Amino acid sequence: MTQIITGFHAIEEKVRNACESGESTGISISYAKAGPRIKKILEIARTANIPVSQVEPKTLDFLVQNLPEVARDHRGIVLVAEGVEEKKSVDFDQWIAQSKISDEKSTVIILDSVTDPHNVGAIIRSSDQFGASLVVMPVRHSANDFADNDVIARASAGANAYVPVSIVRNLTRAVQQLKDAGFWVYGADAGGESVQKIQFPKKTAIVMGSEGTGISRLLEEHCDSIVSIPTCGKIDSLNVSVAAGVLLYEIYRQTL
């Protein structure tokens, strides 16, 4: 599987990750003109033994022609990864088994029917910034198709190289597994208890629903509690990625 990555942040983080892990096989970089940002990336790439080549701008245009429109703005540099996972995927059952024997603080974000890859990327970025341990998405009705991966990488500013993501077949089963592993599961929705009044436990999972329909009824029934974010605006809801960021920050803040 070939992954094409554009965007300075996403490329730089992919290269840094390869440099730190020593896993640079199959990665190469093409660039048109070495401006300051590109020079910085190329320096790190050479440290990681990643091949780099200077090409004509039309060559970069050809490389990105099949990407979603937002990802075609290569800004003079493109990273190609052959046979490399586009997200830091982990097996959910293995992760749960490890979590059961760990007493460390852990925060999990569960995305129910969040289909916009920009939102998924932004949530992954917030997960990195505020220390979330795992992002869980379903196989169906989510932004995890191959065509979405480049947008997710760009929207996450490269955080997808660091934040573990699990793709599961059944979110309800996954929530029950989390509860069995000692997690308290909160559903994010209007009408719940204010986030200001909640002391989040060491093991916390947050379920974020789609902006259109919210959390599915069956999944909401499996939540231990519903949490809401107090607002004062004239529209009735926050963007799902913004709401996730607020909740993740509050969980993180309580540990400071």
Side-chain angles (χ1 to χ4, degrees):
M1 183 180 292
T2 300
Q3 183 188 13
I4 308 294
I5 297 179
T6 61
F8 292 141
H9 285 298
I11 291 176
E12 183 175 340
E13 290 307 322
K14 189 77 172 181
V15 171
R16 285 188 183 280
N17 187 50
C19 187
E20 293 170 3
S21 66
E23 298 176 359
S24 61
T25 303
I27 300 176
S28 62
I29 291 176
S30 298
Y31 69 97
K33 185 178 179 181
R37 293 291 300 275
I38 292 177
K39 284 182 180 179
K40 179 181 178 182
I41 292 170
L42 297 181
E43 183 178 338
I44 302 169
R46 292 186 177 105
T47 301
N49 295 317
I50 294 173
V52 301
S53 57
Q54 188 168 16
V55 300
E56 294 294 326
K58 63 182 180 181
T59 301
L60 301 181
D61 294 339
F62 176 79
L63 287 173
V64 304
Q65 63 181 342
N66 293 322
L67 297 182
E69 184 175 356
V70 68
R72 291 182 211 148
D73 180 16
H74 52 70
R75 302 182 69 184
I77 186 168
V78 174
L79 182 147
V80 178
E82 300 280 357
V84 179
E85 287 290 335
E86 53 280 339
K87 293 190 288 290
K88 189 177 178 181
S89 299
V90 299
D91 181 270
F92 184 74
D93 290 336
Q94 291 180 5
W95 191 91
I96 281 290
Q98 182 63 35
S99 180
K100 285 182 177 180
I101 61 176
S102 173
D103 191 43
E104 294 183 1
K105 176 184 178 298
S106 186
T107 303
V108 175
I109 290 289
I110 302 162
L111 306 184
D112 180 22
S113 298
V114 179
T115 57
D116 186 336
H118 297 89
N119 283 331
V120 173
I123 290 169
I124 290 174
R125 185 173 184 174
S126 292
S127 296
D128 171 65
Q129 290 296 293
F130 300 125
S133 307
L134 183 69
V135 175
V136 180
M137 298 190 292
V139 172
R140 300 178 61 192
H141 307 300
S142 68
N144 60 35
D145 292 335
F146 178 69
D148 294 325
N149 291 325
D150 299 292
V151 178
I152 290 172
R154 193 176 179 113
S156 74
N160 65 314
Y162 300 99
V163 178
V165 175
S166 280
I167 309 298
V168 300
R169 294 191 176 277
N170 189 309
L171 281 184
T172 302
R173 177 177 177 272
V175 164
Q176 189 57 54
Q177 287 177 275
L178 284 165
K179 293 170 75 171
D180 293 342
F183 282 80
W184 189 272
V185 181
Y186 296 85
D189 204 357
E193 186 174 5
S194 170
V195 66
Q196 297 172 319
K197 299 179 180 179
I198 294 175
Q199 182 65 42
F200 289 101
K202 181 177 289 187
K203 291 188 174 183
T204 294
I206 303 287
V207 182
M208 307 299 304
S210 72
E211 292 187 52
T213 59
I215 302 170
S216 66
R217 180 188 58 80
L218 184 59
L219 194 57
E220 184 173 346
E221 289 175 355
H222 279 74
C223 293
D224 295 301
S225 182
I226 302 298
V227 60
S228 298
I229 301 170
T231 58
C232 62
K234 294 181 173 58
I235 60 175
D236 60 359
S237 65
L238 292 170
N239 171 278
V240 64
S241 65
V242 174
V246 171
L247 293 171
L248 283 168
Y249 171 73
E250 178 58 25
I251 296 168
Y252 171 72
R253 186 195 65 81
Q254 292 185 10
T255 66
L256 296 178

